[in-house]
Amino acid sequence: TVISKFLTKNSQVYYSISATTRTRRSHEVNGVDYYFLDRTEFLKMIEEDQFLEHAEYVGNLYGTPQKPVLEALSEGRDAILEIEVTGALTVREKWPEAVLIFIVPPSFSVLEQRLKGRGTEPEEIIQKRLLKAQSEYKAANIFDYIVVNSDADKGADEIKAIIEAESYKTEKRKKYIEF
């Protein structure tokens, strides 16, 4: 929700559509929400090194197709990847300069309410997701920033502020002090 709000106000930022083996939900569109692949297709893409990162999450495979991200970056655009912690660690290893933002709800009980309120997954999967979230929270210290999703508009503004602040870093502006 926060990233969607951010993207409506910042269309110049490239949003990476992830691939998944998860079953498509009724409201989702292939190629818009995710690239929905069967497990064989996904594993073939791993073999062909087509993912920037990939991981298994609660029994399904997820990955970031590498080519469109690299194209956006080569055009000078910022790119947002909506990935889980394992994927973020992989990106950090490959690109130490990547900026990692950890988005969390205001409390763990709010996370549980939101997952149940969506009505898209059975209780068993919700419990797996909550267990996974507990371990992910422990890894938050590898991220550069934490955005608290108590209000989607505020969270979107925080992401914009982070991107702006990062663009002013000395390393990115050295050209102005070179002779």
Side-chain angles (χ1 to χ4, degrees):
T1 303
V2 171
I3 292 173
S4 293
K5 288 273 186 183
F6 169 80
L7 292 169
T8 60
K9 300 175 188 177
N10 301 278
S11 59
Q12 76 283 4
V13 174
Y14 172 75
Y15 174 71
S16 173
I17 300 169
S18 296
T20 185
T21 60
R22 176 177 65 68
T23 303
R24 186 178 64 83
R25 296 176 184 139
S26 61
H27 65 279
E28 292 176 320
V29 177
N30 187 44
V32 174
D33 298 296
Y34 285 95
Y35 296 110
F36 293 96
L37 307 174
D38 65 36
R39 199 166 188 88
T40 303
E41 291 173 298
F42 198 100
L43 293 173
K44 183 177 183 208
M45 288 180 72
I46 290 173
E47 269 182 41
E48 295 173 353
D49 196 29
Q50 292 185 39
F51 289 115
L52 178 61
E53 60 79 34
H54 60 85
E56 188 163 341
Y57 186 84
V58 194
N60 293 300
L61 297 171
Y62 292 82
T64 302
Q66 186 167 235
K67 185 178 177 186
V69 174
L70 296 177
E71 287 173 356
L73 294 173
S74 73
E75 294 167 1
R77 297 172 66 194
D78 290 316
I80 287 193
L81 315 179
E82 192 172 356
I83 56 179
E84 47 71 67
V85 171
T86 304
L89 287 168
T90 301
V91 169
R92 173 61 44 96
E93 286 174 18
K94 288 183 176 181
W95 286 335
E97 70 277 11
V99 177
L100 304 182
I101 303 170
F102 195 81
I103 301 175
V104 297
S107 71
F108 205 76
S109 63
V110 169
L111 173 61
E112 186 172 8
Q113 290 169 3
R114 288 177 181 175
L115 288 174
K116 289 180 178 184
R118 291 192 313 200
T120 57
E121 297 164 316
E123 183 65 25
E124 175 187 334
I125 298 297
I126 290 171
Q127 291 308 312
K128 284 182 180 180
R129 290 178 69 101
L130 290 170
L131 280 172
K132 182 71 172 169
Q134 285 177 339
S135 68
E136 288 181 334
Y137 277 37
K138 293 175 185 169
N141 62 343
I142 68 144
F143 288 74
D144 302 300
Y145 300 92
I146 295 176
V147 169
V148 179
N149 178 11
S150 54
D151 173 85
D153 285 313
K154 184 177 183 295
D157 291 343
E158 288 179 15
I159 292 172
K160 182 177 181 180
I162 290 166
I163 291 172
E164 286 177 359
E166 287 291 321
S167 74
Y168 301 132
K169 284 196 164 179
T170 301
E171 188 60 37
K172 293 184 179 175
R173 294 202 157 198
K174 280 187 176 178
K175 65 183 178 188
Y176 296 109
I177 57 172
E178 293 174 354
F179 296 98

